[in-house]
Amino acid sequence: MLKRALLVSVALIGAAIVWSQVASALSSRNPFGLPDVISPDGRDVMQLAERIRMPGGPDDRNAPQWSEAVTSGRADSLDGTWYSRWDAGTSGTATVRVVGDRFYAMYSNLSGRLAGMTWLLEAILLPDNRLAGRWVQIGNSRDTGPFIGKVVSPERIDGIWSPRMSDRWDFRRRLSDGN
């Protein structure tokens, strides 16, 4: 009898843990089921967005096409796969999803000392094609900061990941001719 009660208890605890993880994923704002970014549109982010404007011009370092290959996506949507790079020279890929006025990017670094690490970015899509939000490293909630960006085209997003304009985090993709 005690053995049966113990087995039932263990099964119930296991089911509760699984349900908790499923419920957490279902209650996330982000479409990836990851823990949400805390205060993506916080006062600090919005004040920074008022101060900083990404120029998005043809002389920007993100202007030349640097995508390694054709990526998934369509010209009428930001959703899809993007190449992404930090100013430190590290790079990887990002899956982008737009939900309402929210821009989400799940970025994974592919090489270097940050290989295998993943970040979640959540930003508000402002009416003038600007982005204002916050990012967090998955598994290290202390590694977080602001993101200010500009959607320059369906294949280019210029951004910064700190209050300094020199701390860049850019996104690029190459759509096939049929998109």
Side-chain angles (χ1 to χ4, degrees), residues 14-172:
I17 290 171
V18 168
W19 176 251
S20 172
Q21 292 173 339
V22 168
S24 175
L26 292 174
S27 67
S28 292
R29 284 186 313 269
N30 73 78
F32 307 113
L34 297 170
D36 284 320
V37 174
I38 296 172
S39 191
D41 53 356
R43 186 174 160 195
D44 62 324
V45 169
M46 300 316 286
Q47 286 175 340
L48 187 61
E50 288 174 19
R51 237 184 51 231
I52 294 179
R53 304 259 190 238
M54 298 300 295
D59 296 333
D60 187 271
R61 72 179 211 166
N62 197 30
Q65 178 58 269
W66 52 268
S67 291
E68 298 172 19
V70 171
T71 57
S72 68
R74 298 185 335 254
D76 63 348
S77 171
L78 297 176
D79 290 1
T81 303
W82 292 71
Y83 287 98
S84 185
R85 65 183 180 191
W86 300 82
D87 63 287
T90 59
S91 63
T93 58
T95 301
V96 170
R97 296 284 180 265
V98 174
V99 180
D101 68 345
R102 298 291 172 142
F103 172 94
Y104 296 94
M106 182 177 61
Y107 166 80
S108 294
N109 214 56
L110 298 177
S111 62
R113 66 181 181 84
L114 302 175
M117 294 182 180
T118 300
W119 287 262
L120 176 63
L121 166 62
E122 179 180 350
I124 297 172
L125 276 161
L126 300 169
D128 57 357
N129 289 331
R130 291 184 310 124
L131 297 165
R134 191 178 314 276
W135 53 268
V136 65
Q137 181 186 356
I138 302 305
N140 180 4
S141 61
R142 293 182 317 249
D143 186 15
T144 185
F147 178 86
I148 305 300
K150 180 173 185 169
V151 179
V152 179
S153 78
E155 294 185 330
R156 175 179 160 199
I157 299 171
D158 298 351
I160 59 168
W161 58 270
S162 83
R164 296 187 311 222
M165 288 293 289
S166 60
D167 292 337
R168 294 292 297 263
W169 185 10
D170 296 323
F171 296 82
R172 218 50 169 97

